[in-house]
Every structure is written in structure tokens, then in C-alpha cells.
Amino acid sequence: MRTDQAEEPAPLFHHPDRNLALELVRATEAAAIRAVPWIGKGDKNAADKAAVDAMRAFLATVDFDGVIVIGEGEKDEAPMLFNGERVGSGRGPSCDIAVDPIDGTSLTAAGRSHALSVLAVSDRGTMLDASSVFYMDKIVTGPEGYGVIDIERPIGDNIRALAAALGKDVDEMRVAVLDRPRHEQLIADIRAAGAGTRLILDGDVAGGINAARRGTRIDMCVGVGGSPEGITTACAVKALGGFMQGRLAPKDDAERERGLAAGLDIDAVLSIEDMVRGDNTFFVATGVTDGALVNGVKREGPIIRTESVVLRSKSGTLRRIEAEHLVEKWLDPEYL
């Protein structure tokens, strides 16, 4: 044993750990609770602002050194949580962060189901920054999709291949798709293959998670949605052991050039490992309104109830957290 030099103490933190994940739930809970007064009020911007302000305030109390890679906007569009913003106390693990204080602002404003408050975390430098290209074509399935699904193949071929891998008839297959004009042909092709669709009004993160989970009514989630939501979904799907591919979908030549200038391979098929590297990702979500993944915020007399999920890739776990909050605390606008 060498004795001629002192051993350097091991750093206290290297990576995000499970305790950090449980701390981050407080931020999604806060965002969801603060959005409640705006549910069904038709003002998605007000709902989003309330959630952003609450999430930022709680993140500031968490002991970690976070950099937002997937954010809500640019710095000059405050109060959005912008790309490149540093969050946390600055002490603790160094992390990449993806935030979506409300995934489904239109759902919240309309009082519809499936709105979530979402955070995803990975080790520093592991999360793809695709912010220069807003849209991404995505396909998500459970683990049966590995070696079976290819985003470059026709959707009918993918549906038939996955059905065979699942041991199901094609007419039993259910495919989630954002209900958008750009997907008219995709929806027609899914139905022509003999499968059924589950049309998503807004917020495709939950659709992707339910496609990757066992025991849900969704076998596959496909279509073009936000690239920020795609990276966030990848963190969750990795924790579930699911399959995911993506391909950036610039809306015009100018956006394509911005993506190329940012170093993105616009035409590449992105694996889940391309979207978030390593095996230490977390995904945290709290229900704003009721959905298939979690229940929304409910007030019962002096109590506010929230339901959240925490997914961790290192352990391959999905934990549900039900919390009760005293209304009197949240009636104080300074309580954060």
C-alpha cells in the first residue's frame, strides 16, 4: 500500500440518486396544484405561468446543480424555464433537466383529461439538446419492439410485426396518435392495416409512456410531436425498458439549417440511447387532470390530494406517490 501521498476523498455526489427523484416530486406537485385554478378557464397561458412559477420556486430549494436542456422557452420570454437556465441550489449532483410544467396546456384550459406536470433528469451531458428543431417523428412500444420495429418502415408493416411479437391479432392492436391534420394519412394507414386508433388531443408524453408500459390499452404511440416531449418521453421509456425511435422533423429549410448549425444529424434515426445516454435517468410526473397514467389534483375539504409517478432507469422501477397537502398552506400565495 502506498503511503507517500494522501488519498483524495471521494466526491460526495457523482450522479442523481433516488433521494433526488423524491425531492423533484415536490416541484411537479407544486406546478400541478398551482395550475388547478385555471382548469377549464380557457386560458392556457395563465395555467402555464402558474405552473412555471411554482416549479421554478421549488427547484431552487433542491440540492443539485441542474442545467435545463429541454425547457419552455428562451431567456427573453420570462417567466418560462428557458434552455440553459441553471436550477437547484448548486450543491449536489450535476444533471441535465427536461421540464414541462404542464404537458397539455390546452387540455388544462379546456378542462380535459391527461394533463401532467413533468420533469426528467439524467447525468450532465447525456441528454440530447434538440431545441433548434421543434418537431420530432416518434414511435414508441414496449420491449417487444426491439428488433421488430423500424420507424423507416410503413406503419402497417410495423403494426403487423408488433402484433406478431405480442401474440395478438392485428385488429386487437391500438395505436395512439396526436389528433392533428398532419396525421390524416397516418391515421388512415393505421386503420387500413386493421388496427384501431387512440387519438390524443394534446400532450403525447403520456401516450408514449402508456405504449411502453405493460397492461395498458395502447400498444404503440406514433407520429410527429414536439422534440422536447420526445426527449422527455425517452427518459421515461428507458426506465420502463421500452422501445423508442425518433427522427427530427424540421418544418422548413430555415429550421433545418438551424438544426445542422447546432450539430444535429437531421436525417438520422435516433435510438433511445441517442436521445438520452447512460442508465441513470429519472422521470417524474404529477397529474393535473385525471388520466390513464395518474389521477389529477383533487380538493377534499381541507386536503389537496395529488398522485405522481417516479420512474428510474437504473433500478427499472415505477413508483406511485399519493400525497395529501393542507389547503391552508396553498391558499398563501407566498407558500412555495
Side-chain angles (χ1 to χ4, degrees), residues 14-16 64-70 84 86 93-98 120-130 231 235 238 272-281:
H14 287 283
H15 308 288
F64 75 129
D65 179 15
V67 173
I68 294 178
V69 175
I70 304 296
R86 300 188 81 95
S94 298
C95 307
D96 285 348
I97 312 290
V121 176
S122 65
D123 293 335
R124 177 68 53 78
T126 59
M127 197 177 288
L128 177 67
D129 180 358
I231 305 303
C235 292
K238 176 169 275 197
I272 197 167
E273 196 66 25
D274 293 322
M275 290 182 261
V276 57
R277 300 191 308 277
D279 190 31
N280 195 41
T281 65

PDB file of all heavy atoms in Angstrom, residues 14-16 64-70 84 86 93-98 120-130 231 235 238 272-281:
ATOM      1  N   HIS A  14     -21.868  11.936  -7.355  1.00  0.00           N
ATOM      2  CA  HIS A  14     -21.470  11.738  -8.743  1.00  0.00           C
ATOM      3  C   HIS A  14     -22.675  11.851  -9.669  1.00  0.00           C
ATOM      4  O   HIS A  14     -22.602  12.445 -10.732  1.00  0.00           O
ATOM      5  CB  HIS A  14     -20.828  10.352  -8.927  1.00  0.00           C
ATOM      6  CG  HIS A  14     -19.459  10.238  -8.358  1.00  0.00           C
ATOM      7  ND1 HIS A  14     -18.352  10.772  -8.975  1.00  0.00           N
ATOM      8  CD2 HIS A  14     -19.023   9.645  -7.218  1.00  0.00           C
ATOM      9  CE1 HIS A  14     -17.272  10.501  -8.238  1.00  0.00           C
ATOM     10  NE2 HIS A  14     -17.649   9.832  -7.180  1.00  0.00           N
ATOM     11  N   HIS A  15     -23.764  11.218  -9.277  1.00  0.00           N
ATOM     12  CA  HIS A  15     -24.916  11.087 -10.156  1.00  0.00           C
ATOM     13  C   HIS A  15     -26.197  11.368  -9.378  1.00  0.00           C
ATOM     14  O   HIS A  15     -26.231  11.257  -8.153  1.00  0.00           O
ATOM     15  CB  HIS A  15     -24.986   9.672 -10.733  1.00  0.00           C
ATOM     16  CG  HIS A  15     -23.713   9.221 -11.377  1.00  0.00           C
ATOM     17  ND1 HIS A  15     -23.274   9.728 -12.580  1.00  0.00           N
ATOM     18  CD2 HIS A  15     -22.798   8.300 -10.982  1.00  0.00           C
ATOM     19  CE1 HIS A  15     -22.138   9.145 -12.903  1.00  0.00           C
ATOM     20  NE2 HIS A  15     -21.813   8.296 -11.956  1.00  0.00           N
ATOM     21  N   PRO A  16     -27.280  11.687 -10.091  1.00  0.00           N
ATOM     22  CA  PRO A  16     -28.576  11.791  -9.424  1.00  0.00           C
ATOM     23  C   PRO A  16     -28.923  10.471  -8.742  1.00  0.00           C
ATOM     24  O   PRO A  16     -28.667   9.399  -9.294  1.00  0.00           O
ATOM     25  CB  PRO A  16     -29.549  12.074 -10.580  1.00  0.00           C
ATOM     26  CG  PRO A  16     -28.707  12.563 -11.698  1.00  0.00           C
ATOM     27  CD  PRO A  16     -27.359  11.931 -11.532  1.00  0.00           C
ATOM     28  N   PHE A  64     -29.118  20.195  -5.974  1.00  0.00           N
ATOM     29  CA  PHE A  64     -28.488  19.646  -7.160  1.00  0.00           C
ATOM     30  C   PHE A  64     -28.063  20.805  -8.034  1.00  0.00           C
ATOM     31  O   PHE A  64     -28.461  21.947  -7.824  1.00  0.00           O
ATOM     32  CB  PHE A  64     -29.409  18.665  -7.900  1.00  0.00           C
ATOM     33  CG  PHE A  64     -30.537  19.296  -8.682  1.00  0.00           C
ATOM     34  CD1 PHE A  64     -30.738  18.951 -10.016  1.00  0.00           C
ATOM     35  CD2 PHE A  64     -31.401  20.198  -8.113  1.00  0.00           C
ATOM     36  CE1 PHE A  64     -31.784  19.500 -10.745  1.00  0.00           C
ATOM     37  CE2 PHE A  64     -32.445  20.760  -8.845  1.00  0.00           C
ATOM     38  CZ  PHE A  64     -32.629  20.420 -10.157  1.00  0.00           C
ATOM     39  N   ASP A  65     -27.204  20.513  -8.999  1.00  0.00           N
ATOM     40  CA  ASP A  65     -26.721  21.522  -9.936  1.00  0.00           C
ATOM     41  C   ASP A  65     -27.299  21.164 -11.299  1.00  0.00           C
ATOM     42  O   ASP A  65     -26.717  20.370 -12.044  1.00  0.00           O
ATOM     43  CB  ASP A  65     -25.191  21.514  -9.955  1.00  0.00           C
ATOM     44  CG  ASP A  65     -24.612  22.531 -10.932  1.00  0.00           C
ATOM     45  OD1 ASP A  65     -25.366  23.418 -11.368  1.00  0.00           O
ATOM     46  OD2 ASP A  65     -23.415  22.418 -11.259  1.00  0.00           O
ATOM     47  N   GLY A  66     -28.454  21.728 -11.603  1.00  0.00           N
ATOM     48  CA  GLY A  66     -29.171  21.356 -12.805  1.00  0.00           C
ATOM     49  C   GLY A  66     -29.054  22.389 -13.906  1.00  0.00           C
ATOM     50  O   GLY A  66     -29.049  23.594 -13.640  1.00  0.00           O
ATOM     51  N   VAL A  67     -28.949  21.920 -15.130  1.00  0.00           N
ATOM     52  CA  VAL A  67     -28.996  22.778 -16.305  1.00  0.00           C
ATOM     53  C   VAL A  67     -30.164  22.309 -17.168  1.00  0.00           C
ATOM     54  O   VAL A  67     -30.260  21.123 -17.501  1.00  0.00           O
ATOM     55  CB  VAL A  67     -27.693  22.715 -17.128  1.00  0.00           C
ATOM     56  CG1 VAL A  67     -27.850  23.499 -18.433  1.00  0.00           C
ATOM     57  CG2 VAL A  67     -26.535  23.264 -16.324  1.00  0.00           C
ATOM     58  N   ILE A  68     -31.050  23.230 -17.518  1.00  0.00           N
ATOM     59  CA  ILE A  68     -32.211  22.872 -18.329  1.00  0.00           C
ATOM     60  C   ILE A  68     -31.778  22.732 -19.782  1.00  0.00           C
ATOM     61  O   ILE A  68     -31.345  23.692 -20.411  1.00  0.00           O
ATOM     62  CB  ILE A  68     -33.331  23.910 -18.179  1.00  0.00           C
ATOM     63  CG1 ILE A  68     -33.857  23.884 -16.741  1.00  0.00           C
ATOM     64  CG2 ILE A  68     -34.464  23.629 -19.163  1.00  0.00           C
ATOM     65  CD1 ILE A  68     -34.928  24.897 -16.453  1.00  0.00           C
ATOM     66  N   VAL A  69     -31.878  21.509 -20.283  1.00  0.00           N
ATOM     67  CA  VAL A  69     -31.568  21.213 -21.679  1.00  0.00           C
ATOM     68  C   VAL A  69     -32.835  21.290 -22.526  1.00  0.00           C
ATOM     69  O   VAL A  69     -32.809  21.752 -23.662  1.00  0.00           O
ATOM     70  CB  VAL A  69     -30.917  19.813 -21.792  1.00  0.00           C
ATOM     71  CG1 VAL A  69     -30.688  19.427 -23.262  1.00  0.00           C
ATOM     72  CG2 VAL A  69     -29.598  19.773 -21.021  1.00  0.00           C
ATOM     73  N   ILE A  70     -33.929  20.827 -21.954  1.00  0.00           N
ATOM     74  CA  ILE A  70     -35.230  20.885 -22.624  1.00  0.00           C
ATOM     75  C   ILE A  70     -36.118  21.780 -21.787  1.00  0.00           C
ATOM     76  O   ILE A  70     -36.585  21.400 -20.719  1.00  0.00           O
ATOM     77  CB  ILE A  70     -35.862  19.491 -22.749  1.00  0.00           C
ATOM     78  CG1 ILE A  70     -34.917  18.528 -23.482  1.00  0.00           C
ATOM     79  CG2 ILE A  70     -37.208  19.575 -23.449  1.00  0.00           C
ATOM     80  CD1 ILE A  70     -34.630  18.909 -24.910  1.00  0.00           C
ATOM     81  N   GLY A  84     -30.860  26.233 -20.983  1.00  0.00           N
ATOM     82  CA  GLY A  84     -29.609  26.770 -20.453  1.00  0.00           C
ATOM     83  C   GLY A  84     -29.731  27.345 -19.061  1.00  0.00           C
ATOM     84  O   GLY A  84     -28.710  27.635 -18.427  1.00  0.00           O
ATOM     85  N   ARG A  86     -29.896  27.569 -15.164  1.00  0.00           N
ATOM     86  CA  ARG A  86     -29.407  26.724 -14.072  1.00  0.00           C
ATOM     87  C   ARG A  86     -30.437  26.735 -12.952  1.00  0.00           C
ATOM     88  O   ARG A  86     -30.953  27.799 -12.587  1.00  0.00           O
ATOM     89  CB  ARG A  86     -28.049  27.210 -13.572  1.00  0.00           C
ATOM     90  CG  ARG A  86     -26.970  27.195 -14.630  1.00  0.00           C
ATOM     91  CD  ARG A  86     -25.612  27.493 -14.049  1.00  0.00           C
ATOM     92  NE  ARG A  86     -25.015  26.304 -13.440  1.00  0.00           N
ATOM     93  CZ  ARG A  86     -24.158  25.496 -14.077  1.00  0.00           C
ATOM     94  NH1 ARG A  86     -23.823  25.753 -15.321  1.00  0.00           N
ATOM     95  NH2 ARG A  86     -23.640  24.453 -13.460  1.00  0.00           N
ATOM     96  N   PRO A  93     -25.462  16.606  -7.141  1.00  0.00           N
ATOM     97  CA  PRO A  93     -25.139  16.031  -8.443  1.00  0.00           C
ATOM     98  C   PRO A  93     -25.366  17.016  -9.580  1.00  0.00           C
ATOM     99  O   PRO A  93     -26.258  17.857  -9.537  1.00  0.00           O
ATOM    100  CB  PRO A  93     -26.089  14.834  -8.549  1.00  0.00           C
ATOM    101  CG  PRO A  93     -27.219  15.160  -7.641  1.00  0.00           C
ATOM    102  CD  PRO A  93     -26.618  15.927  -6.507  1.00  0.00           C
ATOM    103  N   SER A  94     -24.546  16.881 -10.624  1.00  0.00           N
ATOM    104  CA  SER A  94     -24.685  17.703 -11.825  1.00  0.00           C
ATOM    105  C   SER A  94     -25.596  16.976 -12.801  1.00  0.00           C
ATOM    106  O   SER A  94     -25.335  15.827 -13.166  1.00  0.00           O
ATOM    107  CB  SER A  94     -23.313  17.949 -12.468  1.00  0.00           C
ATOM    108  OG  SER A  94     -22.480  18.658 -11.598  1.00  0.00           O
ATOM    109  N   CYS A  95     -26.658  17.654 -13.237  1.00  0.00           N
ATOM    110  CA  CYS A  95     -27.712  16.985 -14.002  1.00  0.00           C
ATOM    111  C   CYS A  95     -28.133  17.797 -15.216  1.00  0.00           C
ATOM    112  O   CYS A  95     -28.079  19.022 -15.211  1.00  0.00           O
ATOM    113  CB  CYS A  95     -28.965  16.791 -13.143  1.00  0.00           C
ATOM    114  SG  CYS A  95     -28.695  15.983 -11.573  1.00  0.00           S
ATOM    115  N   ASP A  96     -28.573  17.076 -16.245  1.00  0.00           N
ATOM    116  CA  ASP A  96     -29.365  17.656 -17.322  1.00  0.00           C
ATOM    117  C   ASP A  96     -30.827  17.540 -16.934  1.00  0.00           C
ATOM    118  O   ASP A  96     -31.251  16.521 -16.365  1.00  0.00           O
ATOM    119  CB  ASP A  96     -29.147  16.891 -18.632  1.00  0.00           C
ATOM    120  CG  ASP A  96     -27.803  17.186 -19.282  1.00  0.00           C
ATOM    121  OD1 ASP A  96     -27.138  18.137 -18.852  1.00  0.00           O
ATOM    122  OD2 ASP A  96     -27.434  16.452 -20.215  1.00  0.00           O
ATOM    123  N   ILE A  97     -31.614  18.567 -17.269  1.00  0.00           N
ATOM    124  CA  ILE A  97     -33.014  18.602 -16.871  1.00  0.00           C
ATOM    125  C   ILE A  97     -33.892  18.856 -18.091  1.00  0.00           C
ATOM    126  O   ILE A  97     -33.580  19.701 -18.935  1.00  0.00           O
ATOM    127  CB  ILE A  97     -33.293  19.733 -15.851  1.00  0.00           C
ATOM    128  CG1 ILE A  97     -32.264  19.705 -14.722  1.00  0.00           C
ATOM    129  CG2 ILE A  97     -34.715  19.639 -15.306  1.00  0.00           C
ATOM    130  CD1 ILE A  97     -32.394  18.539 -13.797  1.00  0.00           C
ATOM    131  N   ALA A  98     -34.982  18.122 -18.173  1.00  0.00           N
ATOM    132  CA  ALA A  98     -36.061  18.429 -19.110  1.00  0.00           C
ATOM    133  C   ALA A  98     -37.284  18.787 -18.280  1.00  0.00           C
ATOM    134  O   ALA A  98     -37.627  18.071 -17.339  1.00  0.00           O
ATOM    135  CB  ALA A  98     -36.368  17.232 -20.007  1.00  0.00           C
ATOM    136  N   ALA A 120     -37.799  15.491 -16.151  1.00  0.00           N
ATOM    137  CA  ALA A 120     -36.912  14.363 -16.416  1.00  0.00           C
ATOM    138  C   ALA A 120     -35.492  14.799 -16.122  1.00  0.00           C
ATOM    139  O   ALA A 120     -35.126  15.956 -16.348  1.00  0.00           O
ATOM    140  CB  ALA A 120     -37.043  13.890 -17.857  1.00  0.00           C
ATOM    141  N   VAL A 121     -34.687  13.866 -15.617  1.00  0.00           N
ATOM    142  CA  VAL A 121     -33.330  14.172 -15.168  1.00  0.00           C
ATOM    143  C   VAL A 121     -32.385  13.072 -15.636  1.00  0.00           C
ATOM    144  O   VAL A 121     -32.744  11.886 -15.614  1.00  0.00           O
ATOM    145  CB  VAL A 121     -33.279  14.267 -13.619  1.00  0.00           C
ATOM    146  CG1 VAL A 121     -31.850  14.493 -13.129  1.00  0.00           C
ATOM    147  CG2 VAL A 121     -34.187  15.376 -13.119  1.00  0.00           C
ATOM    148  N   SER A 122     -31.181  13.460 -16.051  1.00  0.00           N
ATOM    149  CA  SER A 122     -30.125  12.488 -16.346  1.00  0.00           C
ATOM    150  C   SER A 122     -28.790  13.111 -15.972  1.00  0.00           C
ATOM    151  O   SER A 122     -28.705  14.298 -15.639  1.00  0.00           O
ATOM    152  CB  SER A 122     -30.147  12.087 -17.828  1.00  0.00           C
ATOM    153  OG  SER A 122     -29.832  13.191 -18.656  1.00  0.00           O
ATOM    154  N   ASP A 123     -27.743  12.309 -16.033  1.00  0.00           N
ATOM    155  CA  ASP A 123     -26.405  12.817 -15.730  1.00  0.00           C
ATOM    156  C   ASP A 123     -26.045  13.959 -16.675  1.00  0.00           C
ATOM    157  O   ASP A 123     -26.483  13.991 -17.834  1.00  0.00           O
ATOM    158  CB  ASP A 123     -25.362  11.706 -15.886  1.00  0.00           C
ATOM    159  CG  ASP A 123     -25.518  10.602 -14.855  1.00  0.00           C
ATOM    160  OD1 ASP A 123     -26.064  10.875 -13.772  1.00  0.00           O
ATOM    161  OD2 ASP A 123     -25.104   9.465 -15.145  1.00  0.00           O
ATOM    162  N   ARG A 124     -25.213  14.889 -16.208  1.00  0.00           N
ATOM    163  CA  ARG A 124     -24.807  16.040 -17.005  1.00  0.00           C
ATOM    164  C   ARG A 124     -24.161  15.588 -18.320  1.00  0.00           C
ATOM    165  O   ARG A 124     -23.302  14.720 -18.342  1.00  0.00           O
ATOM    166  CB  ARG A 124     -23.832  16.905 -16.213  1.00  0.00           C
ATOM    167  CG  ARG A 124     -23.271  18.107 -16.965  1.00  0.00           C
ATOM    168  CD  ARG A 124     -24.316  19.175 -17.257  1.00  0.00           C
ATOM    169  NE  ARG A 124     -25.044  19.603 -16.073  1.00  0.00           N
ATOM    170  CZ  ARG A 124     -24.568  20.450 -15.152  1.00  0.00           C
ATOM    171  NH1 ARG A 124     -23.365  20.976 -15.270  1.00  0.00           N
ATOM    172  NH2 ARG A 124     -25.307  20.789 -14.119  1.00  0.00           N
ATOM    173  N   GLY A 125     -24.638  16.190 -19.413  1.00  0.00           N
ATOM    174  CA  GLY A 125     -24.070  15.924 -20.720  1.00  0.00           C
ATOM    175  C   GLY A 125     -24.632  14.715 -21.435  1.00  0.00           C
ATOM    176  O   GLY A 125     -24.111  14.335 -22.485  1.00  0.00           O
ATOM    177  N   THR A 126     -25.702  14.107 -20.906  1.00  0.00           N
ATOM    178  CA  THR A 126     -26.233  12.886 -21.515  1.00  0.00           C
ATOM    179  C   THR A 126     -27.537  13.099 -22.286  1.00  0.00           C
ATOM    180  O   THR A 126     -27.969  12.210 -23.018  1.00  0.00           O
ATOM    181  CB  THR A 126     -26.491  11.808 -20.445  1.00  0.00           C
ATOM    182  OG1 THR A 126     -27.426  12.312 -19.474  1.00  0.00           O
ATOM    183  CG2 THR A 126     -25.198  11.418 -19.736  1.00  0.00           C
ATOM    184  N   MET A 127     -28.166  14.252 -22.135  1.00  0.00           N
ATOM    185  CA  MET A 127     -29.473  14.490 -22.752  1.00  0.00           C
ATOM    186  C   MET A 127     -29.301  15.265 -24.059  1.00  0.00           C
ATOM    187  O   MET A 127     -28.627  16.297 -24.088  1.00  0.00           O
ATOM    188  CB  MET A 127     -30.362  15.281 -21.778  1.00  0.00           C
ATOM    189  CG  MET A 127     -31.842  15.257 -22.088  1.00  0.00           C
ATOM    190  SD  MET A 127     -32.818  16.163 -20.825  1.00  0.00           S
ATOM    191  CE  MET A 127     -32.708  15.035 -19.426  1.00  0.00           C
ATOM    192  N   LEU A 128     -29.874  14.758 -25.128  1.00  0.00           N
ATOM    193  CA  LEU A 128     -29.755  15.421 -26.429  1.00  0.00           C
ATOM    194  C   LEU A 128     -30.469  16.772 -26.404  1.00  0.00           C
ATOM    195  O   LEU A 128     -31.635  16.862 -26.036  1.00  0.00           O
ATOM    196  CB  LEU A 128     -30.364  14.540 -27.525  1.00  0.00           C
ATOM    197  CG  LEU A 128     -30.370  15.134 -28.940  1.00  0.00           C
ATOM    198  CD1 LEU A 128     -28.951  15.266 -29.468  1.00  0.00           C
ATOM    199  CD2 LEU A 128     -31.222  14.273 -29.880  1.00  0.00           C
ATOM    200  N   ASP A 129     -29.761  17.807 -26.843  1.00  0.00           N
ATOM    201  CA  ASP A 129     -30.358  19.133 -26.989  1.00  0.00           C
ATOM    202  C   ASP A 129     -30.863  19.267 -28.426  1.00  0.00           C
ATOM    203  O   ASP A 129     -30.110  19.565 -29.346  1.00  0.00           O
ATOM    204  CB  ASP A 129     -29.331  20.214 -26.678  1.00  0.00           C
ATOM    205  CG  ASP A 129     -29.914  21.630 -26.806  1.00  0.00           C
ATOM    206  OD1 ASP A 129     -31.105  21.761 -27.174  1.00  0.00           O
ATOM    207  OD2 ASP A 129     -29.165  22.592 -26.544  1.00  0.00           O
ATOM    208  N   ALA A 130     -32.147  19.017 -28.600  1.00  0.00           N
ATOM    209  CA  ALA A 130     -32.761  19.107 -29.930  1.00  0.00           C
ATOM    210  C   ALA A 130     -33.616  20.353 -30.055  1.00  0.00           C
ATOM    211  O   ALA A 130     -34.512  20.422 -30.896  1.00  0.00           O
ATOM    212  CB  ALA A 130     -33.597  17.865 -30.191  1.00  0.00           C
ATOM    213  N   ILE A 231     -37.703  13.934 -26.116  1.00  0.00           N
ATOM    214  CA  ILE A 231     -36.571  13.654 -25.228  1.00  0.00           C
ATOM    215  C   ILE A 231     -37.069  13.312 -23.826  1.00  0.00           C
ATOM    216  O   ILE A 231     -36.559  12.395 -23.176  1.00  0.00           O
ATOM    217  CB  ILE A 231     -35.606  14.855 -25.172  1.00  0.00           C
ATOM    218  CG1 ILE A 231     -35.140  15.250 -26.583  1.00  0.00           C
ATOM    219  CG2 ILE A 231     -34.420  14.538 -24.272  1.00  0.00           C
ATOM    220  CD1 ILE A 231     -34.484  14.149 -27.364  1.00  0.00           C
ATOM    221  N   CYS A 235     -36.662   9.534 -21.587  1.00  0.00           N
ATOM    222  CA  CYS A 235     -36.219   9.283 -20.213  1.00  0.00           C
ATOM    223  C   CYS A 235     -37.153   8.311 -19.505  1.00  0.00           C
ATOM    224  O   CYS A 235     -36.710   7.422 -18.772  1.00  0.00           O
ATOM    225  CB  CYS A 235     -36.151  10.592 -19.434  1.00  0.00           C
ATOM    226  SG  CYS A 235     -34.845  11.720 -19.980  1.00  0.00           S
ATOM    227  N   LYS A 238     -36.996   4.689 -21.250  1.00  0.00           N
ATOM    228  CA  LYS A 238     -35.780   3.973 -20.854  1.00  0.00           C
ATOM    229  C   LYS A 238     -35.972   3.318 -19.493  1.00  0.00           C
ATOM    230  O   LYS A 238     -35.562   2.161 -19.286  1.00  0.00           O
ATOM    231  CB  LYS A 238     -34.593   4.932 -20.827  1.00  0.00           C
ATOM    232  CG  LYS A 238     -33.315   4.278 -20.327  1.00  0.00           C
ATOM    233  CD  LYS A 238     -32.092   5.149 -20.563  1.00  0.00           C
ATOM    234  CE  LYS A 238     -31.565   4.927 -21.964  1.00  0.00           C
ATOM    235  NZ  LYS A 238     -30.168   5.426 -22.106  1.00  0.00           N
ATOM    236  N   ILE A 272     -33.158   5.356 -28.565  1.00  0.00           N
ATOM    237  CA  ILE A 272     -33.386   5.911 -27.228  1.00  0.00           C
ATOM    238  C   ILE A 272     -32.056   6.306 -26.588  1.00  0.00           C
ATOM    239  O   ILE A 272     -31.972   7.287 -25.845  1.00  0.00           O
ATOM    240  CB  ILE A 272     -34.166   4.900 -26.365  1.00  0.00           C
ATOM    241  CG1 ILE A 272     -34.773   5.592 -25.143  1.00  0.00           C
ATOM    242  CG2 ILE A 272     -33.308   3.708 -25.956  1.00  0.00           C
ATOM    243  CD1 ILE A 272     -35.801   4.755 -24.427  1.00  0.00           C
ATOM    244  N   GLU A 273     -30.982   5.579 -26.933  1.00  0.00           N
ATOM    245  CA  GLU A 273     -29.664   5.898 -26.392  1.00  0.00           C
ATOM    246  C   GLU A 273     -29.111   7.180 -26.999  1.00  0.00           C
ATOM    247  O   GLU A 273     -28.331   7.889 -26.358  1.00  0.00           O
ATOM    248  CB  GLU A 273     -28.708   4.738 -26.630  1.00  0.00           C
ATOM    249  CG  GLU A 273     -27.447   4.777 -25.797  1.00  0.00           C
ATOM    250  CD  GLU A 273     -27.698   4.598 -24.298  1.00  0.00           C
ATOM    251  OE1 GLU A 273     -28.721   4.002 -23.914  1.00  0.00           O
ATOM    252  OE2 GLU A 273     -26.863   5.084 -23.515  1.00  0.00           O
ATOM    253  N   ASP A 274     -29.521   7.493 -28.226  1.00  0.00           N
ATOM    254  CA  ASP A 274     -29.119   8.763 -28.832  1.00  0.00           C
ATOM    255  C   ASP A 274     -29.808   9.942 -28.147  1.00  0.00           C
ATOM    256  O   ASP A 274     -29.267  11.047 -28.087  1.00  0.00           O
ATOM    257  CB  ASP A 274     -29.477   8.792 -30.320  1.00  0.00           C
ATOM    258  CG  ASP A 274     -28.678   7.797 -31.136  1.00  0.00           C
ATOM    259  OD1 ASP A 274     -27.482   7.615 -30.840  1.00  0.00           O
ATOM    260  OD2 ASP A 274     -29.257   7.191 -32.062  1.00  0.00           O
ATOM    261  N   MET A 275     -31.016   9.702 -27.670  1.00  0.00           N
ATOM    262  CA  MET A 275     -31.802  10.779 -27.059  1.00  0.00           C
ATOM    263  C   MET A 275     -31.407  11.044 -25.614  1.00  0.00           C
ATOM    264  O   MET A 275     -31.390  12.192 -25.169  1.00  0.00           O
ATOM    265  CB  MET A 275     -33.288  10.460 -27.174  1.00  0.00           C
ATOM    266  CG  MET A 275     -33.800  10.564 -28.604  1.00  0.00           C
ATOM    267  SD  MET A 275     -35.565  10.257 -28.763  1.00  0.00           S
ATOM    268  CE  MET A 275     -35.568   8.555 -29.298  1.00  0.00           C
ATOM    269  N   VAL A 276     -31.081   9.989 -24.890  1.00  0.00           N
ATOM    270  CA  VAL A 276     -30.587  10.160 -23.522  1.00  0.00           C
ATOM    271  C   VAL A 276     -29.659   8.988 -23.222  1.00  0.00           C
ATOM    272  O   VAL A 276     -30.064   7.839 -23.230  1.00  0.00           O
ATOM    273  CB  VAL A 276     -31.729  10.277 -22.493  1.00  0.00           C
ATOM    274  CG1 VAL A 276     -32.666   9.083 -22.533  1.00  0.00           C
ATOM    275  CG2 VAL A 276     -31.170  10.464 -21.090  1.00  0.00           C
ATOM    276  N   ARG A 277     -28.370   9.300 -23.021  1.00  0.00           N
ATOM    277  CA  ARG A 277     -27.362   8.271 -22.864  1.00  0.00           C
ATOM    278  C   ARG A 277     -27.290   7.788 -21.413  1.00  0.00           C
ATOM    279  O   ARG A 277     -27.650   8.482 -20.484  1.00  0.00           O
ATOM    280  CB  ARG A 277     -25.982   8.793 -23.297  1.00  0.00           C
ATOM    281  CG  ARG A 277     -25.929   9.240 -24.756  1.00  0.00           C
ATOM    282  CD  ARG A 277     -24.482   9.494 -25.188  1.00  0.00           C
ATOM    283  NE  ARG A 277     -23.757  10.382 -24.290  1.00  0.00           N
ATOM    284  CZ  ARG A 277     -23.818  11.701 -24.343  1.00  0.00           C
ATOM    285  NH1 ARG A 277     -24.605  12.302 -25.220  1.00  0.00           N
ATOM    286  NH2 ARG A 277     -23.115  12.440 -23.498  1.00  0.00           N
ATOM    287  N   GLY A 278     -26.749   6.569 -21.276  1.00  0.00           N
ATOM    288  CA  GLY A 278     -26.495   6.049 -19.944  1.00  0.00           C
ATOM    289  C   GLY A 278     -27.706   5.384 -19.328  1.00  0.00           C
ATOM    290  O   GLY A 278     -28.777   5.289 -19.926  1.00  0.00           O
ATOM    291  N   ASP A 279     -27.509   4.925 -18.104  1.00  0.00           N
ATOM    292  CA  ASP A 279     -28.556   4.170 -17.419  1.00  0.00           C
ATOM    293  C   ASP A 279     -28.886   4.811 -16.078  1.00  0.00           C
ATOM    294  O   ASP A 279     -29.045   4.133 -15.076  1.00  0.00           O
ATOM    295  CB  ASP A 279     -28.101   2.715 -17.225  1.00  0.00           C
ATOM    296  CG  ASP A 279     -29.238   1.824 -16.745  1.00  0.00           C
ATOM    297  OD1 ASP A 279     -30.394   2.102 -17.112  1.00  0.00           O
ATOM    298  OD2 ASP A 279     -28.979   0.873 -15.989  1.00  0.00           O
ATOM    299  N   ASN A 280     -28.963   6.128 -16.074  1.00  0.00           N
ATOM    300  CA  ASN A 280     -29.298   6.797 -14.813  1.00  0.00           C
ATOM    301  C   ASN A 280     -30.240   7.961 -15.098  1.00  0.00           C
ATOM    302  O   ASN A 280     -29.905   9.121 -14.883  1.00  0.00           O
ATOM    303  CB  ASN A 280     -28.037   7.280 -14.106  1.00  0.00           C
ATOM    304  CG  ASN A 280     -28.308   7.629 -12.654  1.00  0.00           C
ATOM    305  OD1 ASN A 280     -29.042   6.929 -11.970  1.00  0.00           O
ATOM    306  ND2 ASN A 280     -27.736   8.714 -12.174  1.00  0.00           N
ATOM    307  N   THR A 281     -31.406   7.626 -15.623  1.00  0.00           N
ATOM    308  CA  THR A 281     -32.410   8.644 -15.921  1.00  0.00           C
ATOM    309  C   THR A 281     -33.574   8.532 -14.949  1.00  0.00           C
ATOM    310  O   THR A 281     -33.880   7.452 -14.442  1.00  0.00           O
ATOM    311  CB  THR A 281     -32.951   8.501 -17.357  1.00  0.00           C
ATOM    312  OG1 THR A 281     -33.649   7.252 -17.484  1.00  0.00           O
ATOM    313  CG2 THR A 281     -31.819   8.547 -18.364  1.00  0.00           C
TER     314      THR A 281
END
